[in-house]
Amino acid sequence: MSAFTALVRRDVALATRRGGEAALTLGFFVITIALFPFGVGPDPELLGRIAAGIIWVTALLAAIVSLDRLFRQDLEDGSLDLLALSPMPLELVVLAKCLAHWLVTGLPVTLLAPVMGMMLQLDPEAYAPLIIGLALGTPALSLVGAIGASLVLGARRGGALIGLLVLPLYIPVLIFGISAVEAALAGLPVLPHILIEGAVLVVSLPLAAFAGAGALRLAMD
Amino acid sequence: MDPDSRNPALIAQSLSCERGGRHLFAGLDFALAPGDALVLRGPNASGKSSLLRVLAGLLEPTEGQVLWHGKDTREDPADWRRSLAFLGHGTALKPQFSVGDNLGFWSRFEQASRTPAEALEAVGLSHLADLPASMLSAGQQRRLALARLAARPGGCWLMDEPTVTLDAASVEQLSAMIAQHRAEGGIAILATHEDLAVENAAVLTLGVRS
């Protein structure tokens, strides 16, 4: 498993260097959310009602910002050939890169969400389901995003295509993340929604591994 | 290179490859024993790179198979991949990392048997270990890519144009590196236009087919 951890550590190191994806993604997340009070007005009641939706949709968009670079740099400099030739299956290579992507995008977004919630006057009842939902949902965003990132490797305008391809696939993650928050606000049980969000993550694991590896093999051909 | 006289480690059987509807090569047979070298020659687009990629397992041959110690490298690739070191057109270097960190990652990932320091020594880049890879010249980047192979002696090296951008001294160094690799029981297969001194190497010339 040490090849797996070596790859995760390399990708995290690359993303956290100056000019890496980590700072870019977090900056995008914070600035985009900060725009909403300007756009819809500072009314705390209105902001509080849409806060969870703002945070979730912005988390979706933030996941996409750095997806184009997930495999492209490795393809262009020849690293992907070597990753594919390692004794470690290509499916695990995809999962290692997804884990690294989540560690530098989804995890910081999840940790920053309560701060953003405070800024938007989020109802105190909503914090726990929001954060648990993001903790389960953001890894799924990285996994499903990896499928899109590997599929558009052959295309010249990959960056714009990824959004078109991946955002519709993010809808289930968004729906169950939001429904957990809505249930908490309505005083209904939250657990079923959280469990479904977890199920989405579980399903996206093998899906990303096999579909991503298949698309990478096509891109290297 | 008589396959019957010694125990061949790598055997290619009637390999054929077709790319974009064009036959690159067909019915290639060869066998290489530990210590052997094979030099691929031929004009541009004759299929040298494709043959190397087919041997590595990155490209599907239209026909034929590659055996490593008797095992089909497609059906049972684990042993082959542990022994294989591939150098393609790309250098697989990250400009954000230092020379040492670049090599360090690949050494850990490919579980190399030599330390990065030893491998850097072999290509004469020890003194630049702390320099960012972005500061290296094209030739130095190539040497750093070769250091990745130097870290993995004893297996099979597949090299696509290893001498590109190298100066005369570095080409000699590469010759010595390949000679040592073969002396240690390694196999080297390389595609090159240059007259790289590889002693007693078999030469396979690929032609342009229609």
Side-chain angles (χ1 to χ4, degrees):
Chain A
M1 231 28 193
S2 70
F4 186 89
T5 43
L7 182 55
V8 174
R9 280 175 53 189
R10 182 201 70 158
D11 270 26
V12 169
L14 271 178
T16 48
R17 292 284 155 120
R18 205 145 55 111
E21 286 89 55
L24 196 78
T25 307
L26 268 190
F28 176 86
F29 181 69
V30 172
I31 290 173
T32 307
I33 288 179
L35 287 179
F36 277 87
F38 295 108
V40 300
D43 174 20
E45 212 168 293
L46 174 65
L47 280 176
R49 207 166 65 233
I50 60 174
I54 292 173
I55 292 171
W56 258 108
V57 170
T58 313
L60 253 57
L61 298 176
I64 290 193
V65 170
S66 56
L67 271 181
D68 187 40
R69 287 165 78 178
L70 190 58
F71 299 114
R72 191 168 294 276
Q73 213 195 351
D74 282 336
L75 178 74
E76 283 168 0
D77 68 17
S79 299
L80 201 56
D81 286 343
L82 304 181
L83 297 179
L85 288 178
S86 77
M88 185 164 89
L90 194 54
E91 285 76 12
L92 278 182
V93 169
V94 173
L95 291 184
K97 292 191 75 78
C98 290
L99 176 58
H101 181 262
W102 178 74
L103 286 173
V104 297
T105 59
L107 181 63
V109 159
T110 305
L111 296 177
L112 258 184
V115 181
M116 296 295 110
M118 262 185 266
M119 195 168 87
L120 297 174
Q121 317 281 337
L122 182 70
D123 193 295
E125 291 283 305
Y127 280 93
L130 175 70
I131 294 160
I132 297 171
L134 281 171
L136 290 171
T138 48
L141 299 181
S142 294
L143 288 163
V144 174
I147 301 175
S150 55
L151 280 173
V152 301
L153 274 181
R156 202 165 298 162
R157 289 266 178 90
L161 261 180
I162 289 183
L164 288 180
L165 199 68
V166 163
L167 279 174
L169 299 175
Y170 279 177
I171 291 173
V173 181
L174 176 64
I175 287 178
F176 296 112
I178 286 295
S179 64
V181 175
E182 294 295 324
L185 292 180
L188 297 168
V190 172
L191 191 62
H193 305 279
I194 294 292
L195 287 178
I196 297 178
E197 189 79 325
V200 172
L201 170 59
V202 170
V203 168
S204 57
L205 262 169
L207 204 66
F210 291 110
L216 288 185
R217 285 195 187 97
L218 281 181
M220 279 183 288
D221 196 66
Chain B
M1 201 188 60
D2 180 4
D4 299 324
S5 62
R6 282 168 299 157
N7 232 352
L10 181 70
I11 303 174
Q13 285 176 340
S14 58
L15 278 185
S16 304
C17 183
E18 200 183 288
R19 298 282 282 160
R22 214 167 58 90
H23 286 284
L24 291 173
F25 48 82
L28 282 187
D29 286 291
F30 57 83
L32 298 169
D36 280 345
L38 176 66
V39 177
L40 308 177
R41 292 196 184 278
N44 291 334
S46 57
K48 301 187 295 295
S49 297
S50 297
L51 176 54
L52 286 172
R53 291 180 76 81
V54 165
L55 290 173
L58 289 167
L59 207 60
E60 289 281 329
T62 32
E63 255 177 68
Q65 54 183 350
V66 181
L67 304 176
W68 176 249
H69 289 293
K71 283 185 197 157
D72 190 320
T73 56
R74 223 147 273 284
E75 280 156 21
D76 194 359
D79 283 347
W80 171 234
R81 288 183 174 181
R82 261 189 285 278
S83 317
L84 163 74
F86 181 79
L87 175 73
H89 289 293
T91 49
L93 301 176
K94 300 296 176 196
Q96 299 96 319
F97 286 160
S98 72
V99 168
D101 286 350
N102 264 297
L103 191 58
F105 163 67
W106 286 117
S107 293
R108 273 194 302 279
F109 185 78
E110 299 187 327
Q111 285 155 24
S113 52
R114 289 213 175 115
T115 65
E118 288 168 333
L120 282 179
E121 183 77 47
V123 297
L125 288 177
S126 300
H127 59 297
L128 300 178
D130 295 325
L131 203 71
S134 56
M135 309 280 277
L136 295 183
S137 73
Q140 286 172 325
Q141 288 185 12
R142 201 72 185 160
R143 276 154 68 192
L144 180 51
L146 284 165
R148 191 169 50 74
L149 306 199
R152 303 184 55 207
C156 182
W157 289 359
L158 299 178
M159 291 177 276
D160 198 355
E161 305 281 1
T163 57
V164 167
T165 68
L166 290 186
D167 58 18
S170 305
V171 171
E172 262 177 50
Q173 201 172 37
L174 173 61
S175 293
M177 210 174 103
I178 293 173
Q180 202 204 337
H181 168 61
R182 292 170 65 193
E184 290 166 345
I187 294 176
I189 303 178
L190 53 144
T192 182
H193 289 291
E194 291 231 9
D195 275 326
L196 179 67
V198 186
E199 280 177 28
N200 304 320
V203 176
L204 181 63
T205 306
L206 299 174
V208 178
R209 291 154 173 265
S210 53

